[in-house]
Amino acid sequence: MAQQTKCRKKTEARREAILDAALEEFAAKGYAGARMEDIARRAGVAKGTLYLHFGDKEGLFRAIAEPVVDQFKAMFRRVQEDFHQLSEEEQRADMGQYTARHQEEMLDYIYDHFDVFRLLLDGAHGTRFSCFLDELVDIEVEYTYKYMEVIGCESVKSGLVTEEFIHIIVTAYFNGMFEVVRHNMDRAAAHRYVKMLNRYHMAGFSTVFDPQS
């Protein structure tokens, strides 16, 4: 039993060393430019060990990105679903504050996995994770429409405000939010930035609720 535990720990340590080396290599060269032999050299293992543990380069990238992406998207959907369970009155009264509170929670998750998110933004081209931001935008658009249906938003009912327009402003918001990663801001500065961005975004949403004003 002790020998099995020792072997398991050794395997886990090797796997972590490979993932750390792969993250460094992908961050430096992007997915397309990274090579398995260079990752193996960084990790201090034979190239065959990478294939044994992860299958191929795509599998190695997925092992880094997928757990973080899946948890973040699950967190984001939970926030949206919890809000949608509130009554119409509660949604109207709390929308701005609710968004701000949970935006901080999401930002802390991003900073807890900062290097992975930076990789997702700038080094994931050629992988399915290059659409990460688009997937977040789609979720936000879906639940923004649900909110506007709940409150009976006339500009949407009349067709004056279209899904295309909502998609544009939500995309702008998420790109702005993730600029804190691209600019390598520290956590405290990022929280200040995103608070200001959130206030700006909420004020701008008045053009959706009353586009003629």
Side-chain angles (χ1 to χ4, degrees):
M1 184 65 71
Q3 184 64 30
Q4 288 179 341
T5 301
K6 184 178 180 181
C7 288
R8 186 173 64 252
K9 288 182 177 178
K10 184 177 180 181
T11 299
E12 290 172 355
R14 179 182 296 158
R15 189 176 190 277
E16 288 305 311
I18 292 170
L19 290 174
D20 288 344
L23 180 56
E24 292 175 1
E25 186 72 12
F26 286 133
K29 300 177 182 177
Y31 175 78
R35 302 192 309 166
M36 293 291 269
E37 51 264 42
D38 293 333
I39 294 171
R41 190 178 303 112
R42 282 180 184 265
V45 300
K47 185 168 72 169
T49 303
L50 304 187
Y51 292 99
L52 177 65
H53 283 278
F54 301 100
D56 53 19
K57 186 169 75 167
E58 182 181 354
L60 184 50
F61 193 96
R62 186 171 63 250
I64 294 170
E66 191 168 62
V68 173
V69 168
D70 285 353
Q71 189 171 346
F72 189 75
K73 285 167 63 178
M75 177 191 303
F76 188 40
R77 278 203 176 272
R78 173 181 54 79
V79 168
Q80 300 281 7
E81 279 294 331
D82 287 350
F83 180 74
H84 193 61
Q85 297 306 312
L86 300 175
S87 68
E88 177 185 345
E89 293 74 18
E90 289 172 316
Q91 288 189 37
R92 284 180 180 273
D94 197 37
M95 199 260 279
Q97 290 302 314
Y98 184 93
T99 300
R101 286 196 305 272
H102 290 287
Q103 203 71 45
E104 292 199 4
E105 174 190 351
M106 292 170 60
L107 189 60
D108 277 329
Y109 182 85
I110 291 168
Y111 269 75
D112 289 342
H113 303 84
F114 188 86
D115 290 340
V116 177
F117 279 99
R118 186 161 54 186
L119 177 62
L120 288 167
L121 293 171
D122 297 324
H125 183 69
T127 77
R128 66 181 180 85
F129 299 99
S130 62
C131 297
F132 166 66
L133 275 183
D134 294 330
E135 292 171 0
L136 294 180
V137 168
D138 288 343
I139 294 170
E140 178 69 16
V141 169
E142 174 189 349
Y143 282 93
T144 297
Y145 253 83
K146 287 184 178 182
Y147 169 70
M148 290 190 292
E149 287 172 3
V150 167
I151 66 172
C153 187
E154 290 299 329
S155 60
V156 173
K157 285 182 177 181
S158 68
L160 188 61
V161 173
T162 64
E163 184 173 345
E164 184 177 41
F165 178 70
I166 293 173
H167 191 277
I168 289 170
I169 59 177
V170 170
T171 299
Y173 176 75
F174 273 100
N175 276 303
M177 176 181 167
F178 277 96
E179 282 297 291
V180 300
V181 178
R182 288 194 169 106
H183 284 262
N184 204 32
M185 291 185 183
D186 63 55
R187 190 184 295 243
H191 273 285
R192 292 194 300 272
Y193 175 96
V194 171
K195 280 181 181 178
M196 289 189 291
L197 180 66
N198 191 59
R199 290 197 297 269
Y200 177 86
H201 180 73
M202 294 307 299
F205 240 90
S206 63
T207 62
V208 173
F209 301 135
D210 186 12
Q212 302 285 16
S213 64

